[in-house]
Amino acid sequence: MSSIPITVFTGFLGAGKTTIILSLLKKLPKDFKVVLLKNEFGDVEVDSKLAQQSSLTAVSEILNGCMCCVLVGQMQNALIEIREKYHPDRIIIECSGSAFPATLAFQIRQLERDTNGHFNLDSIITVIDAENFVGYEDTSPTAKMQASYTDIILINKWEHVSERALDIVLDHLHTLNDETVKIKCQGKDGVDPGLIFGVQSKLFLSGQDSDFGATHDEVETLTIYREEDLALETLPQDSIWRAKGFVRLVDGTWISVNWAFGRCDIQEYTGGGIPGEVRLTLMGGRGSVRRPAIKFANLLGSFVGHESHYLVN
């Protein structure tokens, strides 16, 4: 059996990983089989439902836990199942915003050995949100780790910032990682697959990578349920970093809502299968989500789910 290359996408909440992945599919041959393995938090599964409407061969999910720590082993099992069921030309792994890339690299390298080379780690790609990276870099060890431990850095949303602001982002990235190539994405056109496929990563070949095993708690996730419209501009950006979910309009049309650090992207969603009228998952700093989430839910006349899902590394 030929070896299946694996491309891993990491990046902080709202960096634009899913958009970039879906843009890649349009540039691949029609008969090229790609399976997406996605680590998602909350019970809304927005990005996975959107991905299922794409040309992906399949979308597999690992939910409500981080596959680099809490769900260690599930990723390897999922990859083996994907190989046996779909025989893809490539597997793309999209991590949660809190994933440590070194831990994922370790697991994939171990799977390479355990399967006699049926899989290979092609590259770890880190997506950077140029609008917000300098802000969350100061408070997130994970964001620093993702930018430091990677084969390629993709700079997303750079067209929304000034040249001076972009220079500051690049200075920070060069300080964290002065060796890794940095590529600017072309809006929703993403990046040429030829630039990020076929890298043949050298990460974790030695098994001595320094950030393996680091632990911390960073992000809290809560889900809001409602039956009408939204007021996303009321969310405090210092504590709520991301909101994503589905809303049914008065004419019955469903839309997906993807809000990150004040910027909102809305798309029509035709997949159906969403209970209620509004289901939103809010993500932010651990310990700072519930209070604004309850306030936001009260504004909508809705309620907050009973369980909190923590992205724990």
Side-chain angles (χ1 to χ4, degrees):
M1 183 177 293
S2 60
S3 183
I4 301 173
I6 298 173
T7 302
V8 179
F9 279 81
T10 69
F12 203 64
L13 298 172
K17 299 184 291 291
T18 303
T19 299
I20 292 172
I21 291 170
L22 296 181
S23 73
L24 288 169
L25 304 177
K26 303 173 184 177
K27 303 170 185 176
L28 298 174
K30 297 293 185 183
D31 59 348
F32 195 83
K33 297 168 65 177
V34 179
V35 173
L36 173 64
L37 174 59
K38 185 172 177 58
N39 194 188
E40 185 109 68
F41 278 82
D43 65 354
V44 180
E45 306 163 34
V46 180
D47 298 331
S48 295
K49 291 182 182 298
L50 293 178
Q52 288 165 1
Q53 297 184 115
S54 71
S55 60
L56 285 163
T57 300
V59 179
S60 183
E61 299 165 319
I62 297 179
L63 300 175
N64 291 331
C66 187
M67 61 186 171
C68 77
C69 52
V70 178
L71 303 178
V72 169
Q74 286 197 27
M75 180 182 72
Q76 293 173 326
N77 293 337
L79 290 172
I80 291 172
E81 182 178 339
I82 288 170
R83 178 196 65 185
E84 294 176 350
K85 187 173 182 179
Y86 300 108
H87 307 289
D89 297 299
R90 179 173 296 270
I91 296 173
I92 294 177
I93 298 176
E94 182 182 351
C95 306
S96 70
S98 71
F100 276 137
T103 317
L104 299 171
F106 168 79
Q107 290 189 58
I108 295 170
R109 293 298 189 196
Q110 185 62 50
L111 186 62
E112 289 178 7
R113 293 188 287 271
D114 292 345
T115 61
N116 295 316
H118 287 177
F119 301 89
N120 71 85
L121 176 60
D122 186 27
S123 61
I124 289 181
I125 310 295
T126 296
V127 181
I128 297 295
D129 173 0
E131 284 188 288
N132 299 291
F133 178 74
V134 174
Y136 60 65
E137 177 206 6
D138 291 338
T139 58
S140 172
T142 304
K144 294 180 180 178
M145 197 72 69
Q146 291 168 345
S148 301
Y149 190 92
T150 184
D151 292 295
I152 294 173
I153 292 174
L154 296 182
I155 303 175
N156 201 22
K157 307 180 187 179
W158 58 270
E159 64 272 24
H160 301 309
V161 303
S162 67
E163 290 188 15
R164 173 58 180 158
L166 181 58
D167 285 341
I168 292 173
V169 172
L170 290 172
D171 286 343
H172 282 241
L173 291 174
H174 289 318
T175 299
L176 291 170
N177 188 339
D178 62 350
E179 296 182 355
T180 297
V181 63
K182 299 162 185 69
I183 302 172
K184 292 197 295 185
C185 295
Q186 301 304 311
K188 290 193 175 182
D189 286 337
V191 65
D192 184 343
L195 296 175
I196 62 174
F197 289 169
V199 174
Q200 298 183 326
S201 174
K202 300 298 188 293
L203 295 176
F204 224 102
L205 281 177
S206 67
Q208 302 297 319
D209 301 67
S210 60
D211 69 342
F212 178 64
T215 61
H216 69 283
D217 301 347
E218 256 187 57
V219 181
E220 180 181 358
T221 303
L222 291 172
T223 299
I224 286 178
Y225 309 84
R226 165 61 185 152
E227 316 230 329
E228 282 199 24
D229 50 283
L230 305 173
L232 291 171
E233 69 275 4
T234 65
L235 292 175
Q237 296 180 36
D238 57 342
S239 55
I240 303 295
W241 302 332
R242 184 147 191 225
K244 60 180 183 176
F246 296 95
V247 179
R248 188 166 66 181
L249 304 180
V250 292
D251 64 359
T253 302
W254 279 98
I255 59 171
S256 68
V257 177
N258 196 333
W259 180 94
F261 299 97
R263 183 176 294 277
C264 191
D265 180 65
I266 295 175
Q267 300 180 46
E268 184 174 352
Y269 173 70
T270 58
I274 310 297
E277 305 270 333
V278 170
R279 283 178 92 83
L280 267 186
T281 292
L282 306 184
M283 303 179 186
R286 180 163 185 169
S288 64
V289 174
R290 180 163 289 275
R291 181 173 293 179
I294 291 174
K295 184 177 180 180
F296 183 61
N298 289 339
L299 178 65
L300 299 179
S302 59
F303 64 94
V304 175
H306 295 296
E307 295 186 2
S308 299
H309 302 295
Y310 293 97
L311 284 65
V312 181
N313 294 323

